[in-house]
């Protein structure tokens, strides 16, 4: 522990004296901090995204979000159809100088798929892996599975030797007394090296001079600072204290656009915002649960004025959604995307018909650090539901507080945003959200529903290697989700990034992930 | 002008108050324009706050009354104004004037109730400690020591945080205000208790109490009648100043997000919400609640200051 | 004197034990540690084993003793949220809070003392009245409103000073200092001012009251009568006399400032202990909450005890405990 501090201190002093010459330092003001330096310790897109600058997978998405080789150079499916053979890249080293070998891949896959790993759902078909030779690995799956490469884009590879030395071979588990060395130390192969980290304050990354790939960026350093308050983020951007944010508050966009030193990058996120219902017998109040009735779910759906939310809360920047996936996601069809009719009178009638008592109380669980303007649209929806005679109890808190309630069924109605990451395919929400809870399936099925015909379609898609046939199955399954209103989609949320004039090029990705290894700073001087 | 009252052998509380009213405190009040101004302001704020349900255009706590179409309307002197939203509306279509008045009501109630609670507990425990002495005194005063060895705001945050973490959502909404009252009262009773205890100790040594103890007469009444008037002055000053402090504490807790929830906002909650829109041109969401909060605390503090000076003969 | 020293120290130790009990109760009974530690897949068997391993089945006294023993050694367990040693987390954040409190204290003295003297000496002058009025406004403004206003004025409108964070810091051993770089010093200005507003008025009022009293004292009147220049009497003799209470107040208020810094730190996103605590509160990270409570109380108790001892040393009459009954 002491040694670590000493090292950090010397590194920081060295970095300080080194700031004399012009450096391209990208100051990134995010809306929250990463949960840990260990990409396996939180099943959280943002943490994994940031750590992707340090750690890499066997394959990766390129600038067009197509899969390309990364730590693996090539791959093939062996004759048994369930074993994949990966040829690894030669001459790659970890940040500590250790060479990258097949042992590292096996150790990493073992760690991520371990029983206590929060990320094991991201590698659902994995059974085992073995070293063939120093640069060849075989991965065995539980059946034919079309989406292994998509999964592997986000499975970061650790150094086996480093993990062994530091007792980090198992996923961090405070409960099991497994020490969390990897939660505050990092050693990957990626384009950036973690220089220092103070949780909730600042994490500094410096460029990796020995990266195996040709850098397409010109950054020397990234300083990631969480700035929770939207207003402070805007102030910091305007005054140049940060040079980039991946969450420019939509209500402040006019001001940022008008500022001479700031450029706003806008797009629509792939993330679809949905509302989920409980399917248990009783509500948290102990009352009988009326949401098991489709007509009650429909009543709540029809009471939401999507246009109003689009216009007022999302400031016209969102895209109203009828489907639970965004249009670019494979499996989408226009037929899935029809919008409901806003009709509170019909809602009241439906509720009366279903015998729902006036003033029915239920919890409405939202995150304070989740989706774009989540607190505001939750309040607006709660108000719309009160107007059809219900009494939603709004419960807004940070993700870390709400997650246990949601996963343990200790709440009623809830919000969920799903971007189909990392697969970028509609199989992702079908397996993880809409499938019945069963092993790796239905991990996010917080309402606890079960539709056997839906499960059958999803399972069939999961072993279908033909793309067309698979997508047809998935579209059919999504049709059931829509008809049954298992979850009701609201919108694809807006994505707004902002950079100051120091930044010359910052490619915007529809999955809302900053990939700073493509960023250019404008240092003509 | 001044009547000379025959001084009664036993100064009862009532007499004491009468005397106060006749004395130069009242004169001092009338000759202090700042005190008159502050009292007037406070009365105005309190009146509008408690009449809020009858004089405001909207009940900001009724979710069904909020109309998103009417969100972000600027104050009435602005071009985009809309009647009856005199001070404009927030991002949910909540009328700011209504929210400020309802919020003031919550702030005043919580401030007043917490001072009252602390006062009652402090007086009772202080009397007990001073009268009985011994281990009772020891326990009460040591508990007080412990409470005073933790910063005020920290105790309040811990109490509210623990309460909100362990209560279910439905109950949390209902109990938000009582929890705050309790959280603010807990660290502040010690001050009253110490003052009363000191007086009680002096009094308890006097012969009549000793005698009453000997013949097993309940000396409580006598104690009360003698001790309370003696320490009324410092306690009243402290209570007034603590009232201002309690309102500030409530606002701070709500601002930090451990106080009143966003669907029944106090002034602090309103400021917390408005703070997010500081740069969006929606300045009225944060400015009006801030002004109201400052005015309330300012007027309470001015009265407290005046009271202290008026009752402290040394400074006159 | 030695008896008094022992007594005060014992008292401080008792208070700390009581605070530890409170922290332990919070730690142990609010938010079951087992539920916080295990992940969702953990079986009932896992939970029972973990409960046993953590010693949660031991008796209350045994657990409390263990908690105190660990705490004395600086071991407050592992943060649920950051999965890192709590003491390391707090140690990393301490310099930020300390420097903020230090600068705020300096501001409060530099501004508060002259203002107090002026209001006392030139009583009822226009300047004194303005200062008096601003002092009452000062205690009435919530510090978070002051912070928001300062950001609005100096960061957004004028763009002179940063709105958040500590700027560039330099590491000296484990201590990270923002005082040595221009950006670090610039970042410190607004939060320090916002934190010091309340303290300035406190110092000012105290100095005023003490000065008024001293100026009436015989020896001052005597000095005047002897022909010592008025200004000299006021600024040297009288002021010197009321510095002791000011130092006492400053010492005792440092604990409060550290606690109140959490509001300032939230407004300015200042990466200190207070922000760590507020984050811990929002995320129900009980070990961090318990540790913060104990550490801040410890600082508080130590300072109070030191002030008491100094006082007793200066004024032996106070060694008699009954004199404290009125305090």
């Amino acid at each position: 522990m002491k040694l670590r501090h000493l090292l950090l201190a010397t590194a920081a002093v060295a970095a300080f004296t080194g700031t004399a010459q012009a450096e391209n330092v990208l100051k990134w003001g995010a809306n929250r901090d990463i949960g840990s330096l260990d990409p396996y310790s939180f099943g959280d897109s943002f943490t994994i995204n940031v750590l992707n600058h340090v750690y890499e997978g066997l394959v990766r998405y390129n600038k067009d979000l197509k899969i390309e080789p990364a730590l693996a150079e090539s791959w093939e499916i062996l004759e048994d159809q369930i074993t994949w053979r990966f040829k690894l890249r030669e001459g790659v080293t970890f940040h500590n100088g250790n060479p990258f070998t097949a042992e590292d891949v096996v150790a990493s896959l073992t760690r991520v798929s371990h029983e206590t790993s929060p990320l094991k759902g991201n590698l659902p078909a994995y059974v085992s892996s073995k070293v063939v030779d120093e640069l060849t690995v075989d991965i065995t799956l539980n059946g034919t599975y079309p989406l292994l490469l998509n999964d592997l884009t986000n499975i970061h590879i650790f150094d086996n030797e480093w993990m062994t030395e530091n007792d980090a071979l198992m996923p961090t588990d405070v409960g099991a007394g497994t020490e969390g060395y990897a939660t505050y130390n990092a050693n990957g192969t990626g384009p950036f090296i973690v220089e220092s980290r103070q949780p909730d304050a600042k994490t500094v990354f410096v460029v990796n001079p020995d990266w195996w790939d040709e850098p397409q960026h010109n950054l020397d350093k990234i300083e990631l600072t969480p700035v929770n308050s939207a207003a402070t983020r805007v102030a910091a951007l305007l005054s140049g204290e940060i040079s980039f944010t991946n969450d420019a508050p939509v209500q402040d966009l006019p001001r940022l656009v008008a500022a001479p030193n700031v450029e706003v990058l806008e797009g629509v996120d792939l993330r679809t915002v949905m509302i989920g219902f409980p399917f248990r017998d009783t509500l948290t109040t102990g009352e009988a649960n009326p949401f098991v009735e489709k007509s009650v779910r429909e009543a709540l759906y029809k009471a939401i004025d999507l246009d109003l939310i689009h216009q007022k809360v999302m400031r016209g920047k969102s895209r109203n959604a009828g489907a639970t996936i965004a249009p670019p996601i494979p499996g989408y069809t226009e037929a899935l995307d029809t919008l409901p009719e806003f009709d509170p009178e019909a809602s009241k009638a439906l509720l009366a018909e279903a015998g729902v008592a006036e003033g029915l109380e239920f919890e409405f669980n939202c995150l304070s650090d989740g989706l774009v303007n989540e607190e505001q649209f939750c309040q607006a929806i709660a108000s719309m539901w009160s107007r059809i005679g219900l009494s939603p109890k709004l419960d807004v808190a940070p993700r870390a507080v709400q997650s246990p309630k949601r996963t343990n069924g200790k709440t009623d109605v809830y919000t969920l945003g799903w971007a189909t990451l990392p697969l970028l395919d509609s199989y992702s929400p079908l397996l993880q959200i809409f499938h019945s809870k069963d092993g790796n399936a239905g991990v996010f099925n917080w309402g606890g529903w079960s539709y056997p015909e839906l499960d059958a379609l999803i399972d069939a898609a999961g072993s279908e290697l033909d793309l067309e046939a698979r997508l047809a199955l998935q579209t059919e399954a999504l049709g059931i989700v829509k008809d049954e209103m298992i979850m009701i989609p609201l919108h694809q949320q807006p994505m707004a990034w902002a950079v100051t004039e120091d930044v010359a090029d910052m490619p915007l990705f529809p999955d809302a992930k900053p990939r700073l290894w493509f960023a250019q700073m404008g240092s003509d001087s | 002008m001044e009547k000379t009252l025959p001084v009664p052998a036993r100064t009862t509380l009532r007499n004491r108050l009468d005397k106060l009213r006749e004395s130069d405190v009242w004169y001092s009040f009338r000759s202090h324009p700042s005190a008159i101004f502050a009292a007037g302001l406070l009365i105005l704020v309190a009146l509008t706050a408690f009449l809020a349900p009858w004089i405001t255009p909207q009940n900001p706590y009724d979710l069904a009354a909020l109309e998103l179409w009417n969100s972000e309307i600027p104050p009435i002197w602005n071009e985009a104004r809309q009647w009856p939203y005199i001070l404009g509306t927030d991002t949910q279509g909540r009328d700011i004037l209504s929210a400020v008045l309802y919020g003031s009501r919550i702030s005043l109630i919580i401030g007043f109730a917490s001072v009252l609670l602390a006062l009652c507990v402090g007086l009772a425990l202080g009397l007990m400690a001073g009268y009985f002495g011994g281990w009772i005194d020891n326990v009460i005063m040591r508990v007080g020591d412990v409470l005073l060895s933790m910063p005020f705001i920290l105790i309040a945050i811990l109490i509210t945080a623990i309460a909100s973490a362990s209560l279910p959502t439905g109950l949390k909404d209902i109990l938000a205000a009582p929890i705050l009252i309790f959280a603010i009262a807990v660290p502040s009773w010690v001050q009253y208790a110490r003052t009363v205890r000191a007086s009680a100790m002096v009094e308890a040594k006097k012969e009549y109490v000793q005698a009453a103890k000997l013949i097993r007469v309940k000396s409580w009444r006598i104690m009360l009648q003698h001790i309370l008037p003696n320490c009324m002055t410092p306690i009243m000053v402290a209570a007034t100043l603590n009232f201002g402090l309690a309102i500030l504490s409530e606002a701070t807790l709500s601002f930090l997000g451990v106080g009143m929830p966003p669907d029944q906002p106090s002034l602090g909650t309103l400021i917390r919400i408005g703070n997010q829109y500081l740069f969006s041109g929606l300045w009225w969401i944060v400015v009006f609640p801030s002004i109201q909060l400052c005015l309330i605390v300012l007027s309470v503090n001015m009265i407290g200051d005046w009271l202290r000076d008026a009752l402290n003969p040394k400074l006159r | 004197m030695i008896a008094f020293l022992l007594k005060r120290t014992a008292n401080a130790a008792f208070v700390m034990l009581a605070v530890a009990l409170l922290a332990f109760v919070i730690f142990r009974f609010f938010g079951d540690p087992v539920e916080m530690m295990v992940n969702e897949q953990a079986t009932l068997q896992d939970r029972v084993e973990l409960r046993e391993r953590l010693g949660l089945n031991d008796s209350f006294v045994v657990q409390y003793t263990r908690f105190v023993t660990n705490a004395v050694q600086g071991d407050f367990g592992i943060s649920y949220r950051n999965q890192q040693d709590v003491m390391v987390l707090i140690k990393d954040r301490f310099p930020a809070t300390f420097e903020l409190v230090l600068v705020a204290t300096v501001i409060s003295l530099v501004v508060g003392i002259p203002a107090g003297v002026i209001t006392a000496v030139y009583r009822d002058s226009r300047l004194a009245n303005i200062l008096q009025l601003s002092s009452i406004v000062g205690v009435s403004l919530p510090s978070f409103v002051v912070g928001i206003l300062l950001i609005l004025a100096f960061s957004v409108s004028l763009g002179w000073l940063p709105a958040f964070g500590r700027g560039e810091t330099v590491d000296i051993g484990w201590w990270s200092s923002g005082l040595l770089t221009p950006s670090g010093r610039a970042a410190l200005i607004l939060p320090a001012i916002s934190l010091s507003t309340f303290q300035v008025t406190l110092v000012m009022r105290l100095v005023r009251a003490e000065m008024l009293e001293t100026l009436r004292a015989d020896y001052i009147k005597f000095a005047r009568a002897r022909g010592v220049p008025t200004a000299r009497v006021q600024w040297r003799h009288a002021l010197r006399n009321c510095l002791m209470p000011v130092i006492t107040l400053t010492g005792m208020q440092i604990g409060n400032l550290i606690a109140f810094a959490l509001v300032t730190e939230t407004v300015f996103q200042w990466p200190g202990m207070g922000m760590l605590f507020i984050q811990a509160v929002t995320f129900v990270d009980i070990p961090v909450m318990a540790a913060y409570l104990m550490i801040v109380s410890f600082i508080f108790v130590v300072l109070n005890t030191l002030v008491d001892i100094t006082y007793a040393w200066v004024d032996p009459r106070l060694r008699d405990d009954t004199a404290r009954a009125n305090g």
Side-chain angles (χ1 to χ4, degrees), chain C residues 111-161:
Chain C
V111 178
I113 294 179
V117 173
I118 289 169
T119 48
V121 172
Y122 308 106
R123 248 180 117 179
D124 296 327
S125 73
R126 174 169 293 186
L127 180 62
N129 282 339
I130 292 174
L131 282 175
Q132 273 285 75
L133 188 69
S134 38
S135 91
I136 194 162
V137 172
V139 287
S140 306
L141 283 181
S143 71
F144 57 92
V145 171
V146 175
I148 292 171
L149 290 178
L150 287 174
I151 291 180
L152 208 51
F154 293 100
S155 306
V156 182
S157 302
L158 297 171
W160 290 350
L161 293 166

Side-chain angles (χ1 to χ4, degrees), chain B residues 98-140:
Chain B
S98 311
V100 164
L101 293 186
Y102 273 81
S104 310
R105 194 168 68 151
I106 290 200
S107 296
L108 288 172
I109 290 177
I110 290 179
F112 188 76
S114 63
V115 169
L116 197 67
L117 180 61
L119 201 59
C120 292
V121 174
L123 289 182
L125 291 180
L127 274 178
M128 274 170 65
Y131 181 70
F132 292 115
W135 66 269
I136 296 182
D137 178 31
N138 246 319
V139 168
I140 293 176

Side-chain angles (χ1 to χ4, degrees), chain B residues 42-310:
Chain B
L42 195 61
I43 290 171
L44 183 72
V45 168
L47 268 182
T48 48
F50 287 99
L51 293 177
W54 295 278
I55 58 175
T56 54
Q58 192 191 61
N59 177 0
Y61 300 163
D62 179 9
L63 278 180
L66 303 186
E67 181 54 81
L68 200 52
W69 283 119
N70 293 336
S71 62
E72 298 169 27
I73 296 169
I76 199 84
W77 51 87
N78 205 293
E79 291 225 338
R81 65 180 160 242
Q82 190 177 323
W83 185 257
Y85 306 115
I86 298 174
L87 298 183
T89 60
D90 73 358
T91 50
Q92 292 293 324
R94 192 181 278 126
D95 175 39
I96 297 288
L97 178 66
S98 311
V100 164
L101 293 186
Y102 273 81
S104 310
R105 194 168 68 151
I106 290 200
S107 296
L108 288 172
I109 290 177
I110 290 179
F112 188 76
S114 63
V115 169
L116 197 67
L117 180 61
L119 201 59
C120 292
V121 174
L123 289 182
L125 291 180
L127 274 178
M128 274 170 65
Y131 181 70
F132 292 115
W135 66 269
I136 296 182
D137 178 31
N138 246 319
V139 168
I140 293 176
M141 285 299 113
R142 287 296 88 80
V143 170
D145 280 352
V146 172
L147 283 177
L148 286 188
S149 64
M150 291 180 277
F152 181 91
I153 191 82
L154 199 55
I155 304 178
I157 292 178
L158 277 176
I159 292 177
T160 46
I162 287 167
S164 76
S166 44
L167 285 176
T169 313
L171 220 53
K172 211 155 58 185
D173 278 5
I174 304 166
L175 288 181
I179 290 169
L180 276 172
I181 293 170
F182 179 72
I184 297 170
V186 164
S188 49
W189 61 263
V190 188
Q191 191 186 356
Y192 307 116
R194 285 193 168 182
T195 315
V196 179
R197 171 177 172 267
S199 296
M201 272 170 72
V202 175
E203 210 66 19
K205 287 199 183 102
K206 290 197 174 154
E207 281 167 7
Y208 74 94
V209 182
Q210 298 294 338
K213 269 187 181 168
L214 271 180
I215 56 172
R216 301 187 176 207
V217 171
K218 280 192 185 151
S219 43
W220 271 108
R221 268 181 67 89
I222 315 171
M223 285 278 299
L224 272 176
Q225 282 164 353
H226 278 81
I227 295 163
L228 278 186
N230 278 337
C231 46
M232 223 42 215
T233 310
I235 282 187
M236 265 172 62
V237 174
T240 315
L241 291 174
N242 279 347
F243 180 46
L245 208 60
I247 292 173
L248 270 187
S249 310
E250 184 279 324
T252 305
L253 292 175
S254 295
F255 176 78
L256 292 174
V258 290
M260 296 303 290
D263 46 3
Q264 7 171 358
S266 73
L267 293 173
T269 321
L270 289 172
I271 296 171
R272 178 172 74 90
I273 296 171
N275 193 23
Q276 299 164 18
Y277 300 97
L278 220 47
F279 304 107
S280 321
L282 307 173
W283 54 270
W284 56 90
I285 304 179
V286 68
V287 164
F288 294 120
S290 304
I291 293 178
Q292 177 83 347
L293 177 63
C294 296
L295 283 181
I296 295 177
V297 182
L298 185 64
S299 57
V300 171
N301 279 345
M302 278 164 91
I303 294 174
D305 255 25
W306 158 78
L307 201 60
R308 183 177 49 196
D309 289 355

Side-chain angles (χ1 to χ4, degrees), chain C residues 286-299:
Chain C
I286 305 281
V288 175
M289 285 163 70
Y292 180 83
L293 173 70
M294 287 203 54
I295 288 169
V296 172
S297 301
F298 180 70
I299 297 173

Side-chain angles (χ1 to χ4, degrees), chain A residues 114-191:
Chain A
H114 187 267
E115 191 187 349
T116 60
S117 161
L119 238 67
K120 66 171 195 244
N122 281 13
L123 205 53
Y126 175 84
V127 173
S128 66
S129 57
K130 71 168 201 284
V131 176
V132 178
D133 63 43
E134 189 159 307
L135 290 175
T136 313
V137 173
D138 278 355
I139 299 178
T140 308
L141 305 181
N142 59 7
T144 54
Y145 178 63
L147 292 160
L148 179 66
L149 293 179
N150 303 51
D151 285 340
L152 287 176
T153 54
N154 267 339
I155 302 298
H156 296 170
I157 301 301
F158 280 73
D159 177 13
N160 181 30
E161 221 174 303
W162 180 80
M163 288 196 292
T164 315
E165 270 167 26
N166 298 303
D167 191 21
L169 276 171
M170 287 299 111
T172 307
D173 184 352
V174 185
T178 313
E179 217 204 316
Y181 186 79
T183 36
Y184 42 87
N185 291 280
N187 177 37
T189 56

